[in-house]
Amino acid sequence: MFSFLTELKYLFKRFVLIANVLPALLGFIIAAKYYDISFIDYLLPFGLLLVGSGMLVAGALTLNNWLEADVDKLMERTKQRPTVTGSLSLKTILGLGIALSIIGQAILFFINLEVAIYGFIGWYTYVVVYTVWTKRKVTWNTHVGSLSGAVTPLMGWAVVDSAMHPIPLSLFAVMFLWQMPHTYAIAIRKYDDYARAGLKMLPVVRGYDVTVRRTNIYLGLLLLTPLFVSGFSLIFYILLTVVNISWLVIGLSGFKWLPIKKWANLLFVSSLAYLLTVFLLFVLFV
């Protein structure tokens, strides 16, 4: 039993799973505070969101493993996945991915249609558009993957009310822009793996200099995100701007100020701190 759970840990990419489910839950919490609703009244929908989003994301990640079994064998970072070790058959992994995806999508549908639509958009863009169509062919595959992750706070907000609202849309923008530097940092850190596998990641195809420049474009665009949301206190905008500028300074240090791998490590760690801080600011000041 313990061995099977260990296999699931690698199959579901546990940290990626958490990183996709947590924004959905935080999106709900922010909406609940904004509309001043009782959490007890929404306990069931919140539970369905937790389970449904978790299963849908796990299903997408499992299918990603199944679709990339050939390239995973070429990369050091993925050598412990069941698709590489053979501890689970590819047929079993495919069946598990399909089952989790269907059940997760159905659970989200029981919350409401809008939540289910966002869930499907995230699943489809990640499994089909990102994994199947673009990851092996074009460098802008990262944009597609970013779209998949960016819909998660919309799911959480839509549990309470329509996500066609400036606050969840600003969170969507933050997550979309955030994922570009975050993913570029990973691609630089794991450059040899991606090059060996032939995946079209920007550093592999266009080099480090282009990647650093692109990274700073997205970090610069994050400075504009406070302009798209209103109704917060002045201290919120000040703190959010300080956080955005701080991350931009780290990004600018990639222009020959730091060795590229050290810069990528710093960018990666700071990206996690950045996203948690931004969501915390929204939770505290909404």
Side-chain angles (χ1 to χ4, degrees), residues 118-184:
Y118 294 137
F120 179 76
I121 291 172
W123 181 92
Y124 185 82
T125 53
Y126 182 75
V127 175
V128 180
V129 187
Y130 174 67
T131 304
V132 177
W133 292 348
T134 63
K135 193 173 182 180
R136 305 184 191 217
K137 299 176 182 178
V138 290
T139 59
W140 49 266
N141 68 75
T142 307
H143 297 74
V144 177
S146 295
L147 174 63
S148 176
V151 299
T152 51
L154 302 183
M155 292 169 55
W157 186 282
V159 173
V160 179
D161 196 17
S162 173
M164 294 298 101
H165 183 284
I167 293 177
L169 291 176
S170 66
L171 289 171
F172 171 89
V174 166
M175 286 210 64
F176 179 81
L177 295 171
W178 167 83
Q179 286 179 93
M180 307 304 291
H182 175 76
T183 305
Y184 290 156

Side-chain angles (χ1 to χ4, degrees), residues 108-122:
L108 294 181
F109 183 79
F110 279 115
I111 301 174
N112 63 55
L113 180 60
E114 187 174 355
V115 175
I117 288 174
Y118 294 137
F120 179 76
I121 291 172

Side-chain angles (χ1 to χ4, degrees), residues 19 55 60 71 105 164 173 210-211 218 222 225 232 235 242 264:
M55 295 186 74
V71 295
Q105 186 67 69
M164 294 298 101
V210 170
T211 304
Y218 294 111
L222 280 169
T225 53
F232 287 83
I235 187 65
V242 168

